[in-house]
């Protein structure tokens, strides 16, 4: 299939060195220099511009779930407008007045059902010659940037497809609102909006970089406890597990948050003497690193809170955490403690092997 559609890259944040800003996942020692797992960074508080003013009459406030359970364009646009207004006029602790928990539950449930049915690597093949595919990098809770992007680039439609490449939460003050807006668009237009997983869509990163704290503040119980907030946080984590790992656009553009991944070759260990039905243990061949195949990617188990850094299910961690390098070859990513470092030769081999033209990561 020829790649006739236009592909635009939208970057909301300046490129930054993830090896400096993200921690390696738990190994014997963390490589993060500025934060330990027990330290929670301060998340910027949204500006309060007039908390005493009521919402504009044109807004449906608070957000209510449609009686028929079917989202409409008007509902999603109202959600965006209400979140925009509340982010400027209400305190974070007033968020349940904006989006009741029952509405949050309904939205996340609908979106999770769609996401969990998608393959690890979604194929976006129905792009016509007049179509545009917009690939969006890390948004990290920057609600107002996302709202501007959607309005400036044009809302998702049959001829305008959005591929969001992960890292929706952490660092920014509105990770929850940002993620929920994207989930709403996914429910409304599942074939025009694709949400891939980033390395921050994990229990570890969200507990260190602010999203867990954000949720617990916004959904704090009336008695000051965290029961409701923990419920909301767990639902978000469950939704994160369903996010696909990668996409291939029009058969030629591979997109993933981290990048390439290894082949996981396994050999059965010798069966020990004893019971006939003794379980066979598989040994991972890790002495030589080899690029993995799209078939292996499709079979990886992505439903994990934190991608493993050891064992046989290493592909999700590679796809989310690996980094390119100018040095040829494939090697463990010792800076992060998870994922790989791959060189230009690996990129060329991967593209040729699977008849791709571009490998895009953020």
């Amino acid at each position: 299939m020829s790649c006739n559609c236009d592909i635009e890259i939208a970057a909301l944040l300046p490129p930054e060195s993830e090896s400096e800003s993200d921690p390696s996942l738990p190994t014997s020692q963390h490589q993060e220099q500025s934060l330990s797992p027990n330290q929670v960074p301060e998340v910027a508080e949204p500006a309060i511009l007039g908390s005493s003013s009521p919402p504009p009459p044109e807004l449906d406030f608070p957000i209510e779930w449609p009686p028929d359970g079917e989202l409409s364009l008007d509902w999603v646009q109202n959600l965006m407008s209400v979140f925009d207004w509340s982010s400027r006029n209400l305190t974070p602790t007033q968020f349940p007045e904006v989006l009741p928990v029952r509405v949050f539950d309904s939205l996340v449930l609908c979106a999770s059902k769609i996401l969990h049915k998608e393959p690890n690597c979604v194929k976006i093949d129905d792009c016509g010659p007049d179509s545009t595919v917009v690939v969006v990098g890390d948004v990290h809770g920057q609600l107002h940037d996302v709202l501007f992007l959607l309005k400036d680039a044009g809302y998702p439609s049959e001829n305008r497809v959005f591929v969001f490449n992960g890292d929706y939460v952490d660092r920014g003050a509105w990770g929850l609102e940002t993620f929920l807006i994207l989930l709403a668009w996914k429910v409304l237009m599942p074939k025009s909006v694709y949400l891939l997983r980033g390395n921050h869509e994990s229990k570890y990163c969200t507990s260190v970089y602010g999203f867990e704290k954000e949720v617990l503040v916004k959904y704090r119980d009336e008695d000051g406890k965290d029961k409701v907030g923990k419920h909301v946080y767990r639902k978000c984590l469950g939704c994160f597990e369903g996010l696909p790992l990668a996409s291939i656009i029009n058969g030629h553009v591979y997109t993933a948050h981290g990048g390439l991944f290894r082949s996981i070759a396994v050999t059965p260990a010798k069966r020990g003497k004893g019971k006939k039905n003794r379980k066979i243990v598989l040994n991972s061949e890790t002495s030589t690193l080899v690029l993995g195949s799209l078939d292996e990617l499709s079979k990886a188990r992505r439903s994990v809170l934190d991608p493993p850094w050891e064992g046989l299910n290493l592909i999700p961690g590679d796809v989310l955490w690996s980094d390119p390098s100018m040095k040829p070859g494939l090697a463990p990513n010792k800076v992060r403690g998870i994922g790989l470092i791959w060189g230009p030769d690996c990129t060329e081999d991967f593209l040729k092997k699977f008849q791709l033209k571009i490998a895009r990561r953020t």
Side-chain angles (χ1 to χ4, degrees), residues 55-77:
E58 64 269 18
L59 296 183
D60 291 331
F61 184 95
I63 302 294
E64 293 293 344
W65 192 247
D68 61 359
E70 297 291 330
L71 297 192
S72 65
L73 178 59
D74 287 341
W75 192 93
V76 176
Q77 289 178 317

Side-chain angles (χ1 to χ4, degrees), residues 10 29 34 45 90 169 249 257 261 268 288 291 296-297 309:
Q29 292 182 339
S34 58
E45 292 290 340
L90 301 181
V169 301
I249 303 169
H257 184 76
F261 51 93
T288 302
L291 281 176
E296 288 178 289
L297 174 59
W309 66 96

Side-chain angles (χ1 to χ4, degrees), residues 158-180:
E158 184 177 346
N159 293 324
R160 186 179 297 110
V161 177
F162 280 81
V163 179
F164 290 89
N165 206 25
D167 279 15
Y168 311 109
V169 301
D170 287 335
R171 299 190 179 131
W174 302 282
L176 184 59
E177 291 94 325
T178 300
F179 187 53
L180 292 177

